[in-house]
């Protein structure tokens, strides 16, 4: 019997023994097998594995190495050690990333931009006040804006007996609805003034109308007008475009013709006057580029790589608006770094408040938001599409109804637009003491014409036009939704395609109050308020169809009226009416993405129209979240900012309206302007300057050009100091 052979003998006899020279078959690194019983990975579990966090740290490390090398070189060359940069004293250089020598040098390389519907406010961090540039561009065109539509004026007049005479039937020019609302507001104002023991003359309107009818203008020769306007000269080789103040000073009858384009309307992109997204993109880029050159003195585009920019965006922003603006600043203009900041939060930085309810009344947009401890409360954000421009238009309408002597005024003409803005700023007020018959005058200056001096009388038009903030139906809202989503599509989620623009409960409640109807979604009627509880669009959960079907088939029904099924669950009894026993039901499922899309489209068709005091109360209710102490703090910190808030008496009138609506909080309610005698128009810009110069703001919130080239807008989820 042969004994058992060893393993080595078997390998040797069978020819299985290894006979190579222990050289690797390849130079590719071999990965050991994972112990599947106990393995661990750190993939995407540390901050330094994210480019958005790792790049600033590497940049800071390189800066420290560079400064240490420069210090050693200075010591080796015999220079005193005191000549080197002191990192402890110069805290502003921590987030500069360029090794500036002093705080002033860093602030001079910091640009703050606040874009509005009518003006762009821009300046350096070292400036005390910004420069205001009209957010407009004039391009060569076949006809000017005042010549379009056969010269139809603005505000639009309705024809009376087939013609529009210059002095007949002005009270019927704007329709019966406007006339009725105007008369109602006049009657309410008289009742209010009598209740406040103020004198009201019964024939005040007749005095105003009779005086305006029979007062001709005085002609002043141009060489006798000491305040004449310097109009923009158009040379023979006329440029393709003008921007800013030069565009507004172009003659309407210039050769060649120019047309004004306002790329921002009502706080977002102007899709009504543009037909191409690229044209809108390039117009904004050209306005920014000319502002850098004329206002900041940056003549070479390559120099912008050494500058940082704090860009202020709306509280209730649209993602597409933010990404396009960021793309213009970094890729088109070539700025080195950009930081995004919300308007209301920037206003609290500028005013020095830790808790406040910010009411920003701009030219065409009014935004309201509650700010608490350096954060905008998401559910309290409100965005209303009305502002100072609506007051200007309504004021001109009311004056025309009362036989304004300059009956041919047309807000589409550039000099008439500037005249209307001047009249509003000089004469409109919310103080009841100014509601008397007043004799006023103005000078009409047009290119190529002699100056005309008009005298006119006013009574209650100066107050009732601003009263439109509290009775917004007097404003003209017909054109504000024209072209909506026509050239700039809505932002959607990359995973499921659902709309992902931020919304707030306060804004949804206001929109629902205006819609006042049910929305038909996939054959099921739901109220539009069904998503009022979510502030950020949530990703829809996938439905496990197999388990649902098995549960439905295997579990007998215990009652006819069962519990409601979750969203997306098939319900044969509901979805297939008339299906009898023994027949196979056809499964019909609800698409949550389609429902969200239809819901967003329905909301886009509704313009939020609500009085200013009610909008503030809605924002405060959602911002306090049921806490009475916080609600009282917000009531005591209502801050009015923006150009529209400079109307005399507006804050006191708003405070009175809020106390009438909430008498239990009468002592706590306080509406005031910004502190330290700040101009309400520049508080947001000043807050952006303060925020940009903070040493703690440079580590996480700055978006560099290199990072943006790699990740694009995906970087915003890690860089924004608010929920993106």
């Amino acid at each position: 019997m042969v004994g058992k052979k060893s393993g080595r003998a078997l390998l040797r006899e069978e020819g299985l023994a290894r006979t190579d020279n222990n050289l690797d078959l390849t130079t590719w690194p071999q990965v050991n097998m994972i112990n599947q019983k106990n393995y661990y990975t750190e993939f995407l579990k540390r901050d330094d594995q994210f480019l958005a966090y790792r790049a600033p740290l590497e940049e800071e490390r390189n800066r420290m190495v560079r400064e240490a090398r420069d210090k050693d070189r200075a010591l080796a060359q015999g220079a005193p050690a005191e000549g080197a940069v002191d990192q402890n004293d110069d805290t502003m250089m921590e987030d500069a990333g360029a090794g500036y020598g002093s705080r002033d040098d860093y602030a001079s390389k910091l640009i703050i931009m606040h874009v509005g519907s009518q003006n762009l406010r821009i300046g350096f961090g070292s400036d005390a006040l910004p420069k205001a540039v009209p957010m407009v561009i004039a391009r060569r065109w076949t006809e000017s804006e005042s010549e379009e539509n056969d010269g139809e004026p603005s505000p639009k007049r309705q024809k009376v007996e087939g013609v529009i005479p210059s002095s007949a039937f002005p009270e019927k020019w704007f329709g019966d609805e406007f006339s009725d609302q105007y008369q109602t507001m006049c009657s309410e104002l008289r009742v209010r003034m009598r209740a406040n023991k103020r004198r009201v003359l019964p024939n005040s309107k007749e005095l105003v109308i009779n005086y305006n009818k029979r007062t001709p203008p005085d002609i002043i020769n141009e060489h006798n007008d000491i305040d004449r306007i310097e109009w923009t000269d158009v040379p023979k080789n006329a440029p393709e475009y003008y921007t800013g103040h030069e565009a507004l000073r172009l003659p309407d009858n210039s050769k060649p013709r120019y047309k004004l384009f306002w790329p921002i309307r009502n706080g977002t992109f102007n899709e009504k006057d543009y037909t191409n997204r690229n044209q809108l993109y390039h117009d904004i880029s050209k306005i920014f580029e000319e502002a850098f050159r004329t206002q900041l003195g940056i003549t070479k585009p390559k120099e912008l790589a050494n500058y940082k920019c704090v860009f202020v965006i709306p509280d209730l922003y649209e993602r597409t608006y933010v990404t396009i603006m960021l793309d213009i600043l970094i890729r088109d203009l070539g700025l080195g770094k950009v930081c995004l900041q919300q308007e209301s939060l920037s206003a609290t930085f500028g005013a020095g408040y830790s808790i406040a309810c910010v009411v920003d009344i701009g030219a065409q947009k009014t935004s309201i938001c509650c700010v608490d401890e350096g954060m905008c409360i998401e559910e309290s954000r409100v965005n209303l599409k009305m502002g100072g421009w609506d007051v200007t238009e309504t004021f001109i309408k009311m004056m025309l109804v009362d036989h304004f002597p300059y009956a041919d005024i047309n807000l589409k003409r550039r000099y008439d637009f500037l005249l209307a803005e001047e009249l509003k700023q000089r004469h409109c007020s919310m103080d009841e003491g100014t509601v008397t018959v007043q004799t006023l005058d103005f000078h009409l200056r047009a290119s190529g014409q002699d100056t005309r001096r008009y005298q006119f009388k006013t009574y209650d038009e100066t107050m009732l036009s601003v009263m439109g903030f509290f009775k917004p139906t007097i404003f003209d809202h017909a054109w504000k939704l024209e072209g909506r989503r026509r050239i700039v599509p809505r932002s959607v989620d990359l995973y499921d395609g659902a709309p992902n623009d931020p919304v707030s409960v306060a804004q949804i409640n206001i929109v629902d109050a205006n819609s006042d109807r049910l929305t038909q979604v996939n054959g099921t009627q739901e109220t539009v308020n069904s998503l009022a509880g979510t502030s950020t669009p949530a990703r829809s959960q996938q439905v496990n169809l197999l388990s649902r079907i098995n549960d439905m088939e295997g579990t007998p029904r215990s009652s006819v009226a069962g519990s409601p099924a979750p969203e997306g669950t098939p319900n044969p009894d509901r979805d297939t009416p008339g299906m009898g026993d023994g027949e196979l039901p056809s499964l019909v499922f609800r698409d949550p993405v389609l429902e969200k899309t239809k819901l967003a489209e329905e909301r886009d068709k509704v313009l939020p129209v609500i009085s200013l005091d009610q909008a503030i109360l809605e924002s405060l209710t959602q911002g306090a979240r049921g806490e009475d102490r916080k609600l009282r703090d917000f009531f005591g910190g209502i801050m009015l900012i923006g150009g529209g808030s400079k109307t005399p008496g507006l804050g006191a009138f708003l405070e009175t309206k809020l106390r009438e609506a909430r008498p239990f909080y009468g002592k706590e309610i306080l509406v005031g302007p910004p502190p330290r005698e700040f101009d309400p128009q520049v508080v947001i810009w000043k807050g952006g300057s303060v925020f940009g110069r903070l040493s703690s703001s440079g580590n996480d919130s700055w978006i560099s050009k290199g990072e943006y080239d790699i990740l694009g807008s995906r970087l915003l989820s890690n860089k924004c100091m608010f929920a993106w």
Side-chain angles (χ1 to χ4, degrees):
M1 182 177 179
V2 181
K4 184 177 181 181
K5 296 182 179 181
S6 63
R8 290 184 178 180
L10 289 175
L11 290 176
R12 185 173 56 253
E13 293 178 1
E14 298 294 334
L16 300 178
R18 182 173 180 177
T19 58
D20 57 2
N21 53 5
N22 294 328
L23 294 177
D24 294 333
L25 298 178
T26 178
T27 58
W28 190 265
Q30 298 182 8
V31 181
N32 296 328
M33 297 291 294
I34 297 178
N35 184 3
Q36 297 184 2
K37 293 182 179 180
N38 183 16
Y39 67 91
Y40 178 76
T41 180
E42 294 184 350
F43 179 66
L44 295 182
K45 290 186 177 180
R46 297 198 311 267
D47 289 344
D48 56 1
Q49 294 176 338
F50 290 90
L51 179 64
Y53 293 98
R54 187 173 65 251
L57 296 177
E58 294 177 354
E59 185 178 358
E60 178 69 14
R61 191 181 304 110
N62 295 335
R63 185 189 63 82
M64 295 176 62
V65 171
R66 183 173 58 254
E67 289 181 356
R69 188 184 300 113
D70 294 342
K71 183 178 180 181
D72 294 341
R73 185 182 298 110
L75 292 174
Q77 294 176 356
E82 290 79 10
V85 177
D86 191 354
Q87 297 181 13
N88 295 326
D89 294 338
D90 195 4
T91 56
M92 287 297 174
M93 292 168 47
E94 293 183 3
D95 57 338
Y100 304 117
S102 65
R103 298 189 183 189
D104 294 336
D105 293 340
Y106 169 67
S108 63
K109 296 292 184 180
L110 177 65
I111 301 174
I112 296 92
M113 300 178 64
H114 179 209
V115 178
S117 300
Q118 188 165 319
N119 290 305
L120 163 66
R121 307 196 184 277
I122 186 172
F124 289 118
S126 56
D127 296 339
L129 295 174
K131 284 88 172 176
V133 182
M135 194 66 189
V136 63
I137 183 171
R139 288 195 173 274
R140 293 179 60 174
W141 215 255
T142 57
E143 56 185 2
S144 63
E145 62 276 6
S146 60
E147 297 172 343
E148 290 184 332
N149 299 326
D150 297 330
E152 183 181 32
S154 174
K156 183 179 179 181
R157 281 81 154 173
Q158 293 186 3
K159 292 185 178 181
V160 180
E161 298 179 359
V163 295
I164 306 180
S166 59
S167 60
F169 309 111
E171 49 283 320
K172 297 182 180 180
W173 280 353
F174 309 109
D176 295 336
E177 183 178 356
F178 179 84
S179 300
D180 295 342
Q181 291 190 46
Y182 184 27
Q183 295 300 325
T184 303
M185 294 175 67
C186 292
S187 302
E188 292 176 354
L189 180 59
R190 286 196 297 268
V191 172
R192 186 183 185 91
M193 292 180 64
R194 289 193 181 99
N196 294 334
K197 309 299 182 181
R198 294 189 180 275
R199 184 181 179 185
V200 179
L201 296 178
N203 60 340
S204 299
K205 281 290 184 182
E206 289 75 8
L207 292 175
V208 171
I209 293 175
N210 293 332
Y211 183 86
N212 291 339
K213 279 182 178 180
R214 56 181 174 82
T215 306
D218 299 331
I219 306 299
I220 302 175
N221 295 328
E222 186 177 0
H223 62 274
N224 293 330
D225 187 7
I226 59 176
D227 296 327
R228 57 181 177 270
I229 297 175
E230 296 295 335
W231 300 95
T232 303
D233 293 330
V234 181
K236 293 182 179 179
N237 52 346
E240 288 293 329
Y241 63 89
Y242 287 93
T243 62
H245 296 285
E246 291 184 347
L248 290 180
R249 293 303 184 187
L250 280 170
D252 290 83
N253 57 352
S254 63
K255 294 181 181 180
R257 291 286 195 272
Y258 284 85
K259 180 183 176 182
L260 296 185
F261 288 92
W262 301 82
I264 305 296
R265 295 273 94 175
N266 299 110
T268 185
F269 292 126
N270 181 9
E271 301 179 76
K272 175 178 177 291
D273 299 330
Y274 283 86
T275 58
N276 192 341
R277 180 176 176 179
N278 292 331
Q279 183 186 2
L280 177 66
Y281 183 99
H282 290 302
D283 281 0
I284 297 175
S285 178
K286 290 300 180 183
I287 293 174
F288 289 172
E289 184 179 351
E290 290 297 317
F292 289 150
R293 184 180 62 85
T294 59
Q295 305 298 325
L296 304 183
I298 305 175
T299 57
K300 298 180 180 179
K302 293 183 179 180
E303 295 179 358
L304 289 174
N306 300 323
Y307 288 84
K308 305 172 71 173
C309 176
V310 176
F311 190 81
V312 183
I313 63 174
D315 303 321
L316 198 59
Y317 55 87
E318 294 181 0
R319 286 174 177 253
T320 307
Y321 173 86
V322 177
T323 55
I324 289 180
M325 288 295 188
L326 192 61
D327 198 70
I328 291 174
L329 294 174
I330 294 182
R331 290 183 176 170
D332 197 9
L333 299 178
L335 283 165
K337 289 186 178 181
V338 176
C339 175
L340 301 177
Q341 174 74 311
Q342 290 176 295
E343 287 178 344
S344 295
L345 182 58
S346 182
T348 57
F349 272 93
Y353 288 169
S354 61
I355 181 171
C357 176
V358 181
V359 182
D360 180 16
I361 304 176
Q364 296 183 355
K365 173 182 68 69
T366 298
S367 62
I368 307 168
C369 181
C370 295
V371 181
D372 186 14
E373 298 297 338
M375 291 294 293
C376 293
I377 301 178
E378 296 182 6
E379 308 299 348
S380 67
R381 295 174 294 179
V382 173
N383 192 316
L384 304 178
K385 306 301 182 182
M386 63 180 183
W389 165 252
D390 297 281
V391 176
T392 303
E393 187 182 30
T394 306
F395 176 63
I396 297 300
K397 281 184 176 181
M398 293 179 176
M399 292 300 302
L400 288 173
V401 168
D402 293 339
H403 293 260
F404 189 55
Y406 180 36
D408 295 332
I409 188 171
N410 182 6
L411 297 183
K412 290 183 179 180
R413 287 197 291 257
R414 294 149 201 175
Y415 57 88
D416 283 347
F417 168 75
L418 297 175
L419 172 65
E421 287 288 324
E422 180 185 357
L423 291 176
K424 180 194 69 173
Q425 295 173 7
R426 286 172 51 187
H427 304 307
C428 286
S429 173
M430 288 295 289
D431 186 6
E432 292 182 358
T434 62
V435 183
T436 57
V437 179
Q438 305 178 65
T439 303
L440 307 172
D441 64 344
F442 67 90
H443 292 77
L444 176 63
R445 299 178 175 91
S447 177
Q449 303 177 17
D450 291 334
T451 301
R452 285 169 284 175
R453 179 177 177 270
Y454 286 88
Q455 287 186 326
F456 66 102
K457 283 189 176 183
T458 63
Y459 177 54
D460 54 3
E461 304 89 354
T462 56
M463 183 174 179
L464 293 181
S465 57
V466 190
M467 190 76 73
F469 285 130
F470 306 93
K471 293 185 179 297
T473 53
I474 196 69
F475 292 154
D476 183 13
H477 303 285
W479 57 274
K480 295 181 180 179
L481 291 179
E482 291 184 11
R484 179 71 168 160
R485 306 293 185 192
R486 185 165 54 89
I487 61 175
V488 181
R490 181 187 292 104
S491 176
V492 296
D493 192 86
L494 293 176
Y495 295 95
D496 56 11
N500 60 353
D501 280 332
V503 294
S504 67
V505 176
Q507 185 76 7
I508 290 176
N509 292 341
I510 293 174
V511 172
D512 292 347
N514 285 275
S515 62
D516 198 22
R517 64 177 182 269
L518 297 177
T519 304
Q520 190 78 11
V521 180
N522 278 2
T524 304
Q525 282 193 348
E526 294 182 351
T527 60
V528 186
N529 201 19
S530 59
L531 295 182
T534 59
S535 61
T536 305
R539 186 178 304 167
S540 60
Q541 298 180 354
Q542 295 183 354
V543 183
N544 191 343
L545 303 181
L546 183 60
S547 61
R548 299 282 177 89
I549 294 176
N550 292 336
D551 294 341
M552 182 178 62
E553 292 179 352
T555 304
R557 294 175 58 183
S558 58
S559 65
V560 178
S563 301
E567 184 178 359
T569 306
N571 192 341
D573 297 332
R574 180 193 62 192
D575 297 331
T576 55
M579 186 67 66
D581 296 336
E583 299 182 10
L584 183 63
S586 61
L587 301 180
V588 179
F589 302 96
R590 296 170 57 189
D591 188 356
V593 175
L594 182 59
E595 291 183 3
K596 291 181 180 179
T597 303
K598 289 187 175 182
L599 199 58
E601 292 176 353
E602 288 296 325
R603 289 201 181 108
D604 283 345
K605 299 176 183 178
V606 180
L607 186 71
V609 179
I610 190 174
S611 62
L612 183 61
D613 54 333
Q614 294 298 324
I616 294 175
L617 292 176
E618 181 65 33
S619 177
L620 292 173
T621 302
Q622 301 301 332
R625 303 172 184 173
E627 298 183 17
D628 185 70
R629 180 187 61 81
K630 186 172 291 186
L631 182 60
R632 295 178 184 274
D633 292 340
F634 285 140
F635 268 127
I638 301 176
M639 181 172 59
L640 273 180
I641 62 173
S645 66
K646 298 180 70 175
T647 304
L650 179 60
F653 188 86
L654 176 60
E655 188 174 311
T656 303
K657 295 288 288 185
L658 292 175
R659 286 176 177 173
E660 292 176 356
R662 294 292 185 272
F664 296 106
Y665 297 96
K667 296 181 179 180
E668 287 83 2
I669 295 176
L670 180 62
V671 179
R676 299 190 292 274
E677 297 182 356
F678 268 167
D679 185 356
Q681 292 178 295
V682 303
V683 175
I684 293 178
W685 182 93
K686 195 66 177 179
S689 177
V690 173
F691 177 80
R693 299 178 67 177
L694 289 177
S695 60
S696 60
S697 66
N699 296 329
D700 300 331
S701 58
W702 292 102
I703 302 172
S704 65
K705 188 176 187 303
E707 297 170 341
Y708 190 77
D709 289 339
I710 297 174
L711 297 178
S713 60
R714 293 174 295 172
L715 198 66
L716 293 174
S717 59
N718 295 324
K719 288 293 186 177
C720 292
M721 301 189 69
F722 47 88
W724 174 256

